[in-house]
Amino acid sequence: MEHRELLAQAVKAAEMSYSKYSGFSVGAALLTAEGVIFKGCNIENASFSLTNCAERTAVFKAVSEGYTKFSAIAIAGSGDGDFSKPCYPCGACLQVLSEFCGDDLVIVLADGEYRLSDFLPKRFCEDSMK
Ligand SMILES: [Zn+2]
């Protein structure tokens, strides 16, 4: 899977965004180790704190289907239909991704490719509780 194609899938996922309050649509395309893509979008709620990001939507969909190993995630966000600017993942999503992914998870954004460790070099994880 070309990472450029994965980013295109993230933009497509943003079409399903339920973002009636912010008007900011986000899509994510999560690539499993098996080559399966799970797409997610942001889902807002009138009780704002219940809003779920696109990245976590994609992760939860994948895990609920039995996939727990991921190699890349593409993220695209826009408030006006222009997805050319990068949409960086929030801290909550990085933490959720880190539960299932190592430092080498590729994060594909409009401005290039990153690794999970670029955004979250130190994190709370299973080893933190030992
Ligand atoms: Zn997030």
Side-chain angles (χ1 to χ4, degrees), residues 92-128:
C93 289
L94 290 170
Q95 180 65 34
V96 168
L97 285 165
S98 77
E99 178 70 23
F100 302 100
C101 307
D103 289 341
D104 291 337
L105 174 75
V106 177
I107 298 177
V108 184
L109 304 177
D111 66 347
E113 294 182 11
Y114 299 87
R115 303 287 177 188
L116 181 64
S117 58
D118 292 327
F119 292 106
L120 202 61
K122 299 184 184 297
R123 61 181 185 261
F124 185 79
C125 62
E126 184 177 2
D127 289 343
S128 304

Side-chain angles (χ1 to χ4, degrees), residues 53-56 89-94:
C53 297
E55 301 92 311
R56 281 179 285 143
C90 79
C93 289
L94 290 170

